Amino acid sequence: MQLDDVKQREYSREEVAKHDNASSLWVVRGNQVFDLTTFHTDHPGGSEIIMQFGGQDITDVLRDSDMHAHSIEAYRVLKDFYIGEIAAGDRRPLTKPLDGKDEMECIEEVEFLDIHKPLMAQMWWSSFSNDLYIREVHRPRHLPRPAVFFGNAFLEKFTRTPWWVIPIYWTPIMLGLLYLGAEYESAQVMAIGFVFGLLSWTLMEYSIHRFVFHYDENIPEGTIYQCAHFLLHGVHHFMPMDPMRLVMPPALSTFLALHILAILSCVFSMGMLHAVCAGLIVGYVLYDECHYWLHHGTSQNLYLNQLKSYHLRHHYKDFKAGFGITSDFWDKVFGTQFVNAEY
């Protein structure tokens, strides 16, 4: 969206200052007015951070490295909430960064997917080069509602998964595995297998995220491969705050689980296989629920907040690093931490 495409209205700073609460939250950035009412609850750093600047000028705040210097992608998201300009008598000179380029002028406008239309039809009929697709799909966009995948309402239902579906779906399967496994092995052996599976999940989480979800530049050229990538993980980077696309749909996770089961069945005997798979399921459920929280949860706990910042940096600054979700342990082991530890 070009700012010039919006029918401009003018507002005094006094008028903007009245919009300082959750029901109407406006901010000023460089004499431009933005309405963040539908966005503040989805702000990666939490709603309370934006709320404290409601009705104010955030030009310097966005550049404040002590608080958190925002990337160009943050300005791209902000741009979508533009509603007008500060009136002539209230305008202030815009101080530009040291490089002399205003951040809004650095946003590259590229024709990609229209987030207001069904996404999969656009993907299917697209002819993006892989370079363009990979670059654009990792530039976050935002909608105040879940994005639409399919124009068909029946198909659309299978693309939306609330967070609470995951434990409801997988807990009976996990309990069933433990019950069946007890027919083959003792409780002690089952406990060892369960703990082994639970701990093994952290490595599996890292490996799937890094080598499967982020195959990225290695996918073959072609729309079909891009569509597969988009369905598997691309959409999550394209719309990272979409609450219906933060946990994996049971159909997809079951498909992946059956492949993992086939591999593990070649390694473990009956009983131990059941226990290890049960442990992996518990690890997976905890991972998916943690992942949802990292995008939409808040906490006063320092560790959880650091984990949240670590993961959101993966989305908003560098998708080629920081593959750990529930921990950065394997990133440290395999050297895929962020170059600059600060977010």
Side-chain angles (χ1 to χ4, degrees):
M1 179 193 72
Q2 298 284 352
L3 297 187
D4 293 340
D5 293 339
V6 181
K7 185 177 180 181
Q8 292 188 358
R9 287 192 57 189
E10 292 192 344
Y11 306 92
S12 68
R13 290 183 181 271
E14 182 179 1
E15 182 178 0
V16 173
K18 296 176 182 178
H19 299 267
D20 62 351
N21 55 75
S23 60
S24 183
L25 189 67
W26 294 10
V27 296
V28 176
R29 188 271 165 196
N31 295 312
Q32 296 164 344
V33 183
F34 302 87
D35 184 353
L36 303 183
T37 307
T38 60
F39 173 73
H40 70 89
T41 54
D42 288 341
H43 178 248
S47 174
E48 64 280 358
I49 293 180
I50 293 185
M51 289 293 296
Q52 64 180 307
F53 298 107
Q56 301 176 41
D57 192 316
I58 62 170
T59 306
D60 294 332
V61 174
L62 290 171
R63 296 171 180 166
D64 188 352
S65 58
D66 290 334
M67 175 174 287
H68 165 53
H70 289 70
S71 67
I72 293 300
E73 301 311 322
Y75 288 88
R76 181 190 300 277
V77 172
L78 179 65
K79 192 173 182 180
D80 287 335
F81 298 94
Y82 172 82
I83 59 172
E85 298 282 324
I86 290 296
D90 259 351
R91 296 177 71 83
R92 297 172 183 171
L94 175 61
T95 302
K96 294 187 177 183
L98 295 177
D99 60 9
K101 295 180 180 179
D102 178 50
E103 290 86 351
M104 286 294 186
E105 297 172 355
C106 295
I107 299 174
E108 182 183 3
E109 295 293 344
V110 177
E111 186 175 342
F112 192 52
L113 302 178
D114 185 341
I115 60 177
H116 301 286
K117 298 178 181 179
L119 297 173
M120 284 311 300
Q122 297 179 71
M123 281 297 306
W124 184 255
W125 296 109
S126 69
S127 57
F128 304 129
S129 68
N130 271 12
D131 287 343
L132 185 145
Y133 167 75
I134 293 299
R135 183 176 68 250
E136 291 301 315
V137 84
H138 289 99
R139 287 178 169 171
R141 273 73 164 183
H142 178 272
L143 276 177
R145 60 188 181 280
V148 176
F149 257 44
F150 298 103
N152 182 287
F154 178 74
L155 291 177
E156 181 66 13
K157 290 180 180 179
F158 291 95
T159 73
R160 302 187 179 198
T161 310
W163 66 268
W164 44 265
V165 167
I166 304 305
I168 290 177
Y169 178 82
W170 284 106
T171 298
I173 296 175
M174 180 271 295
L175 293 175
L177 285 170
L178 291 176
Y179 177 78
L180 293 173
E183 297 291 322
Y184 298 93
E185 294 286 1
S186 66
Q188 183 179 7
V189 171
M190 289 291 291
I192 293 173
F194 179 85
V195 172
F196 176 80
L198 180 61
L199 296 178
S200 296
W201 169 256
T202 61
L203 178 58
M204 190 171 292
E205 163 200 313
Y206 172 89
S207 300
I208 292 174
H209 191 195
R210 180 181 178 184
F211 298 111
V212 179
F213 292 169
H214 280 280
Y215 201 58
D216 294 341
E217 286 92 346
N218 297 310
I219 63 173
E221 286 280 355
T223 301
I224 292 178
Y225 299 107
Q226 291 173 7
C227 285
H229 179 277
F230 189 77
L231 283 171
L232 188 63
H233 196 60
V235 66
H236 176 49
H237 275 264
F238 188 61
M239 309 286 293
M241 301 305 288
D242 189 328
M244 292 292 118
R245 272 82 185 211
L246 285 173
V247 295
M248 193 177 295
L252 179 56
S253 57
T254 300
F255 174 79
L256 293 175
L258 289 174
H259 285 74
I260 294 171
L261 175 63
I263 296 172
L264 294 179
S265 64
C266 299
V267 179
F268 297 105
S269 61
M270 300 297 282
M272 179 61 78
L273 174 65
H274 291 75
V276 171
C277 288
L280 286 171
I281 287 175
V282 171
Y284 164 69
V285 171
L286 293 174
Y287 146 80
D288 239 357
E289 301 306 285
C290 175
H291 183 228
Y292 184 92
W293 182 89
L294 292 178
H295 282 262
H296 287 288
T298 58
S299 174
Q300 299 300 316
N301 183 276
L302 179 60
Y303 174 76
L304 290 177
N305 286 331
Q306 289 175 339
L307 199 62
K308 179 182 178 77
S309 294
Y310 187 82
H311 181 60
L312 292 179
R313 177 167 185 173
H314 171 75
H315 277 283
Y316 287 90
K317 284 204 170 182
D318 185 3
F319 68 90
K320 296 182 180 181
F323 299 105
I325 308 298
T326 56
S327 168
D328 64 351
F329 175 77
W330 294 110
D331 282 311
K332 293 177 180 177
V333 171
F334 294 111
T336 52
Q337 295 170 280
F338 299 109
V339 175
N340 182 352
E342 296 298 323
Y343 177 48

